[in-house]
Amino acid sequence: MLYDDPMASNEDQLKILSEADLQELVDVGGAFPRGLRLSEATDSGLTLLSGRLALRDLRLDGTQITDAGLRNLTDLDLHELSLTRTSASDAGLAHIGGLTSLKILWLGNTRVTDAGLIHLENLKDLQMLDLYETAVTTSGIEDLLKVLPSCNIVA
């Protein structure tokens, strides 16, 4: 079932879907939303997003996706991605680093470390990066800011 997110503004409303709802939307060929929050997601479910170029905002908070599943996002034109409270780690950032249209990236409460930040250096449009409750150090943040000086990093 599709739900409107009560916390989203009218112009940027997210659709909240389960993985089964997402499959149904794909099966019937419905119009794909610009913003999507998956209430549950697995790596195999992320394959359903492939080629959905209209999708700009994807929230996978607290889902079961892994680094391997993140490879299914590489052909999207996302502006915002949230992986908060997932098992995403440095290996997953290798896939995220190709999303050069990203402006906002939420990685709080993930397994990301300083070593993974190198994969984000090509995200020249990145305006905000959340690293709250990760193993990233002050030194890692300082190094990334040398490459992305206009990025606001929250740690």
Side-chain angles (χ1 to χ4, degrees), residues 78-138:
L78 294 174
H79 293 186
E80 183 169 352
L81 175 62
S82 182
L83 299 172
T84 302
R85 296 182 328 277
T86 65
S87 66
S89 71
D90 298 340
L93 292 187
H95 305 297
I96 301 307
L99 299 174
T100 56
S101 295
L102 270 182
K103 295 177 182 359
I104 301 171
L105 179 57
W106 303 89
L107 295 172
N109 292 290
T110 61
R111 297 182 298 138
V112 172
T113 70
D114 290 354
L117 297 182
I118 194 167
H119 300 298
L120 304 182
E121 291 181 357
N122 289 329
L123 302 181
K124 302 300 182 192
D125 291 337
L126 197 62
Q127 299 168 2
M128 201 288 296
L129 174 62
D130 171 39
L131 296 170
Y132 182 75
E133 293 293 322
T134 64
V136 173
T137 66
T138 301

Side-chain angles (χ1 to χ4, degrees), residues 7 10-11 26 34 37 43 47 50-51 55 62 67 82-83 85 90 98 102 113 123 128-129 133 135 145:
M7 301 304 288
N10 287 337
E11 57 193 44
V26 169
R34 290 180 57 84
R37 176 179 290 157
D43 292 345
T47 62
S50 183
L55 186 61
D67 293 329
S82 182
L83 299 172
R85 296 182 328 277
D90 298 340
L102 270 182
T113 70
L123 302 181
M128 201 288 296
L129 174 62
E133 293 293 322
L145 284 172

Side-chain angles (χ1 to χ4, degrees), residues 29-105:
F32 224 79
R34 290 180 57 84
L36 182 61
R37 176 179 290 157
L38 293 179
S39 59
E40 57 186 57
T42 62
D43 292 345
S44 62
L46 292 183
T47 62
L48 298 171
L49 299 176
S50 183
R52 307 298 171 178
L53 299 180
L55 186 61
R56 295 288 185 263
D57 181 351
L58 179 60
R59 315 240 177 134
L60 298 170
D61 306 352
T63 61
Q64 297 178 22
I65 57 108
T66 68
D67 293 329
L70 294 176
R71 93 181 83 218
N72 296 307
L73 306 181
T74 57
D75 67 343
L76 301 178
D77 189 26
L78 294 174
H79 293 186
E80 183 169 352
L81 175 62
S82 182
L83 299 172
T84 302
R85 296 182 328 277
T86 65
S87 66
S89 71
D90 298 340
L93 292 187
H95 305 297
I96 301 307
L99 299 174
T100 56
S101 295
L102 270 182
K103 295 177 182 359
I104 301 171
L105 179 57

Side-chain angles (χ1 to χ4, degrees), residues 7-26:
M7 301 304 288
S9 68
N10 287 337
E11 57 193 44
D12 291 322
Q13 287 208 337
L14 295 174
K15 294 296 181 186
I16 303 173
L17 281 79
S18 69
E19 197 166 292
D21 295 331
L22 180 60
Q23 180 66 60
E24 183 178 335
L25 180 65
V26 169

